[in-house]
Amino acid sequence: MHGKFTMAALVVTTAAAAWFHGVARGQEVGRTVWDGVYSVAQAELGMHRYTAPCGSCHGRALEGGHIFGSRTRTAPALRGDAFLSHWTGRPVGDLFHEISAYMPLDRPGSLSDEATVSILAFLMRENGFPAGTHDLPADIAVMETIQIARQKK
């Protein structure tokens, strides 16, 4: 009898944990870049931070182009269809990680989290995603809950 009670308790506990996890995840699901996840001030700061370390390769207008000093290597566009084709369906956290770990090319990982998240806000603005009333936090866990999407669902 003791074994059956332990098994039943395990099943109930597992089911309750799964339900709770599903409820918690349900609150996160559906949030996209169309929900105003950055502020105007944050995007403005990001525009200034983008210019030197990013603009020389990705272009002033985020159009992409030859990597500074190279005739063969190119940097991808950071706005428009080419950008959205690559990033749609992925969480903002993936883009944050890409920037913070691998950019700028000549000094990978040298940007602070605050600089990276403001540049990310600038990229969102330039791709037509609306600003909200609060800054996007430099918190990867939060950014993982926000999906990049072509249009609001």
Side-chain angles (χ1 to χ4, degrees):
M1 186 65 122
H2 181 42
K4 287 183 182 180
F5 176 75
T6 305
M7 183 57 79
L10 178 63
V11 168
V12 169
T13 303
T14 303
W19 176 82
F20 180 77
H21 180 70
V23 169
R25 294 279 306 160
Q27 292 171 351
E28 299 169 359
V29 174
R31 194 165 177 215
T32 73
V33 289
W34 292 98
D35 295 323
V37 298
Y38 68 94
S39 71
V40 170
Q42 189 177 35
E44 280 297 309
L45 180 58
M47 179 181 71
H48 296 290
R49 288 179 166 166
Y50 170 90
T51 303
C54 312
S56 62
C57 293
H58 293 280
R60 287 186 181 174
L62 292 84
E63 73 277 13
H66 286 288
I67 293 176
F68 183 74
S70 174
R71 292 179 187 253
T72 57
R73 295 182 64 199
T74 59
L78 298 177
R79 66 183 264 179
D81 194 51
F83 174 81
L84 291 173
S85 291
H86 183 76
W87 292 102
T88 294
R90 296 174 66 182
V92 170
D94 285 2
L95 182 54
F96 176 86
H97 174 72
E98 184 81 12
I99 296 167
S100 66
Y102 303 111
M103 297 293 131
L105 195 57
D106 62 341
R107 292 182 331 277
S110 64
L111 297 172
S112 69
D113 286 353
E114 291 74 23
T116 301
V117 78
S118 66
I119 291 168
L120 187 53
F122 171 61
L123 297 181
M124 284 191 253
R125 182 184 79 184
E126 294 302 298
N127 278 283
F129 306 129
T133 56
H134 301 293
D135 286 354
L136 178 65
D139 181 342
I140 194 72
V142 170
M143 288 184 264
E144 288 294 329
T145 69
I146 304 166
Q147 187 177 51
I148 299 170
R150 284 188 179 268
Q151 56 187 321
K152 191 171 183 177
K153 294 181 181 181

